[in-house]
């Protein structure tokens, strides 16, 4: 791909882009189509940005900052009307059409063969025929999902849930109303819109929404300015923070300590903002402590019993080739996984996958063998 053309598209100096080639900007021709991918952010270009061989750019989905205390954050970020959307717990995907073929890009800008097959099956292709420039930004959720499998939605396998729309070659996304209107027009799954409130009174309305989502095992909310001027902010439920911790401590040495610490700190801020009594805060402490210690002890015990610690996931594919391509994709990402033989089932094949957590296995075994931390 011509560097000068890509640089011009992105508004970067050509020399700067050449310098970054192979370190931060990577070329790929598998799976097709050929593209250039940004591994890290560069001078205002989001990580996960992709430039296709056609010259079309799909920008990375913008990062969403987190509120630790809802009330002051809302006051500081918003003035007009705030929309409360559910924050879906899955993985970020951007679906677009290149030369008439729909492709699904992960957060990092990889074309994921599994996600691409699902998106081609679930999204009405009419939307891409009517809007060839469109980029559908959404979350892939459901239990049969290889990255963030969750059984908390009324979804049997995997579904794409729209939460924003963008256009190729443009950094801006369209925001709440255009997204929900498009979803309605084409019958797309869309993230629930849970209410719209004036910024001044929003906090009081939002707290019960967060509590209710938490009880239902859902992740949290994303607050969005309906006029699409202020950037959105995210906020998560205590139960969801604890579920993340439970997962992270089961595979404790494969998770960054940032992931863990930030979730514990959130609990402190929420307990104080919600003015919890000493009884309530003790209940929170018990929930938090259990989500740390129980999975950790379970991992150690299993390893002592000579069990290999692994993460089991399952995908459902229409074609065996998709599973093979997905296996190749994981290998390319540096994720070690063992794929079972595909089992014929409704709608194609079910494939069980054991994702290896090498670091947790090795560390735990070392401790069992008497080594020091
Ligand atoms: P970030 O994506 O902000 O860098 P992260 O990778 O840790 O952070 P999350 O903490 O899950 O991700 O929060 C942001 C992500 O939430 C978005 O990238 C998107 O995938 C997801 N999301 C789920 N529901 C929504 C929604 N209604 N609106 C916007 N994003 C949503
Ligand atoms: Mg997420």
């Amino acid at each position: 791909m011509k560097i000068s053309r890509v640089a011009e598209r992105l508004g970067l100096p050509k020399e700067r882009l050449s310098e970054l080639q192979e370190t931060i900007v990577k070329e790929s021709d598998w799976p097709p189509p050929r593209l250039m991918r940004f591994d890290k952010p560069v001078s205002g270009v989001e990580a996960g940005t992709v430039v296709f061989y056609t010259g079309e750019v799909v920008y990375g989905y913008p990062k969403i900052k987190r509120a630790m205390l809802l009330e002051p954050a809302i006051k500081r970020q918003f003035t007009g009307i705030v929309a409360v959307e559910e924050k879906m717990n899955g993985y970020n995907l951007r679906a677009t059409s290149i030369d008439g073929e729909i492709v699904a890009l992960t957060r990092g800008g990889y074309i994921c063969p599994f996600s691409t097959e699902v998106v081609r099956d679930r999204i009405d292709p009419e939307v891409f025929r009517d809007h060839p420039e469109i980029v559908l930004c959404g979350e892939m959720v459901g239990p049969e999902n290889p990255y963030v499998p969750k059984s908390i939605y009324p979804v049997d396998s995997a579904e794409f849930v729209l939460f924003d729309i963008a256009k190729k070659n443009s950094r801006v996304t369209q925001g709440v109303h255009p997204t929900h209107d498009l979803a309605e027009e084409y019958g797309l799954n869309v993230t629930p819109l849970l209410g719209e409130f004036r910024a001044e009174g929003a906090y009081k309305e939002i707290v019960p929404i967060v509590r209710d989502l938490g009880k239902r095992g859902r992740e949290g909310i994303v607050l969005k300015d309906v006029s699409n001027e202020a950037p959105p902010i995210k906020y998560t439920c205590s139960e969801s923070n604890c579920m993340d911790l439970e997962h992270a401590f089961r595979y404790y040495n494969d998770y960054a300590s940032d992931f863990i610490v930030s979730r514990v700190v959130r609990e402190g801020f929420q307990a104080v903002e919600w003015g919890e009594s000493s009884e309530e805060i003790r209940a929170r402490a018990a929930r938090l402590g259990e989500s740390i210690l129980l999975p950790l002890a379970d991992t150690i015990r299993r390893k002592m019993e000579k069990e290999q610690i692994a993460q089991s996931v399952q995908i459902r594919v229409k074609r065996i080739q998709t599973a093979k391509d997905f296996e190749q994709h994981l290998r390319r990402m540096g994720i070690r996984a063992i794929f079972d033989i595909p089992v014929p089932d409704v709608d194609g094949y079910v494939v069980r996958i054991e994702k290896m957590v090498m670091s947790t296995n090795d560390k735990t075994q070392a401790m069992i063998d008497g080594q020091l931390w």
Side-chain angles (χ1 to χ4, degrees):
M1 285 168 85
K2 273 238 160 44
I3 280 287
S4 52
R5 186 156 164 237
V6 174
E8 189 194 306
R9 278 276 170 176
L10 297 171
L12 292 175
K14 187 173 118 221
E15 300 69 34
R16 175 104 176 96
L17 197 59
S18 310
E19 264 168 39
L20 299 170
Q21 235 190 334
E22 279 168 35
T23 52
I24 291 180
V25 185
K26 313 237 162 106
E27 269 200 82
S28 150
D29 55 14
W30 186 91
R34 198 149 46 83
L35 56 80
M36 227 177 231
R37 183 176 59 81
F38 282 68
D39 235 8
K40 298 210 172 75
V42 175
S43 333
V45 176
E46 285 278 351
T49 295
V50 164
V51 185
F52 288 95
Y53 78 98
T54 53
E56 293 165 299
V57 185
V58 174
Y59 283 95
Y61 194 69
K63 282 191 83 66
I64 302 177
K65 293 219 171 119
R66 175 179 300 274
M68 284 305 227
L69 291 173
L70 265 177
E71 191 166 23
I74 293 170
K75 210 173 254 158
R76 200 186 165 111
Q77 302 297 323
F78 300 113
T79 47
I81 308 283
V82 181
V84 184
E85 277 187 359
E86 180 169 347
K87 183 174 195 299
M88 305 302 291
N89 200 352
Y91 60 97
N92 185 292
L93 270 187
R94 286 161 289 154
T96 194
S97 161
I98 302 295
D99 269 345
E101 297 278 0
I102 300 170
V103 292
L105 298 171
T106 60
R107 193 85 172 96
Y110 290 89
I111 297 175
C112 168
F114 164 74
S115 310
T116 297
E117 191 193 85
V118 174
V119 156
R120 284 180 184 172
D121 181 61
R122 309 291 201 278
I123 300 178
D124 179 358
E126 202 66 31
V127 65
F128 296 104
R129 283 199 280 270
D130 293 349
H131 308 277
E133 295 310 311
I134 208 164
V135 179
L136 301 179
C137 308
E139 196 86 347
M140 186 77 92
V141 302
E144 290 182 323
N145 138 6
Y147 307 116
V148 188
K150 299 268 172 197
S151 308
I152 55 180
Y153 303 106
V155 168
D156 292 331
S157 182
E159 290 296 343
F160 178 80
V161 182
L162 186 73
F163 55 65
D164 209 345
I165 51 183
K167 285 192 177 131
K168 287 183 248 182
N169 308 316
S170 165
R171 288 178 159 86
V172 292
T173 68
Q174 317 276 298
V176 181
H177 290 307
T179 303
H180 288 267
D181 291 348
L182 185 94
E184 167 124 34
E185 190 181 343
Y186 291 92
L188 309 174
N189 286 320
V190 66
T191 191
L193 181 52
L194 303 169
E196 293 185 36
F197 310 104
R198 313 201 122 275
E200 310 86 73
Y203 171 71
K204 278 202 311 294
E205 308 283 350
I206 290 172
V207 172
I209 296 178
V210 175
R211 285 191 196 275
D212 176 62
L213 288 170
K215 280 194 210 122
R216 291 162 49 215
R218 301 298 183 86
E219 186 181 9
I221 53 171
V222 181
L223 302 177
K224 299 182 176 177
D225 175 13
V226 293
S227 65
N228 205 26
E229 277 154 29
I233 56 180
K234 59 189 180 189
Y235 188 78
T236 46
C237 310
S238 172
E239 292 85 347
S240 170
N241 295 335
C242 289
M243 278 189 285
D244 284 355
L245 286 170
E246 202 184 308
H247 190 77
F249 274 92
R250 188 169 295 286
Y251 311 114
Y252 65 97
N253 222 43
D254 288 80
Y255 272 85
S257 41
D258 278 11
F259 181 95
I260 291 167
V261 173
S262 77
R263 279 163 180 76
V264 175
V265 172
R266 289 175 203 169
E267 290 299 293
F269 280 95
Q270 190 174 80
V272 172
E273 182 163 44
W274 292 5
E276 292 185 348
S277 65
S278 66
E279 210 169 290
E280 284 166 329
I281 206 161
R282 280 186 180 279
R284 186 188 286 271
R287 181 167 71 226
L288 181 60
E290 284 182 7
S291 71
I292 292 172
L293 207 51
L294 300 185
L296 182 56
D298 191 54
T299 289
I300 298 166
R301 213 171 286 126
R302 282 170 190 266
K303 196 71 203 169
M304 282 178 167
E305 282 159 13
K306 311 243 178 310
E307 210 180 291
Q308 173 82 357
I309 307 302
Q311 195 189 336
S312 301
V313 298
Q314 177 171 308
I315 59 173
R316 188 173 297 264
V317 291
K318 294 211 169 294
R319 300 177 309 125
I320 290 189
Q321 189 59 41
T322 305
K324 289 191 179 146
D325 288 347
F326 184 62
E327 192 169 3
Q328 165 91 13
H329 168 74
L330 285 188
R331 210 173 299 132
R332 185 172 71 154
M333 309 276 299
I335 298 172
R336 287 182 56 182
I338 298 167
F339 280 59
D340 271 8
I341 296 164
V343 179
D345 200 302
V346 280
D347 249 4
Y349 303 85
V350 168
V351 188
R352 294 192 62 83
I353 305 168
E354 294 275 295
K355 288 163 80 178
M356 296 294 131
V357 280
M358 296 319 289
S359 175
T360 299
N361 272 287
D362 295 349
K363 189 76 172 179
T364 314
Q365 190 58 53
M367 297 302 108
I368 293 170
D369 293 340
Q371 286 185 38
L372 304 178
W373 185 276

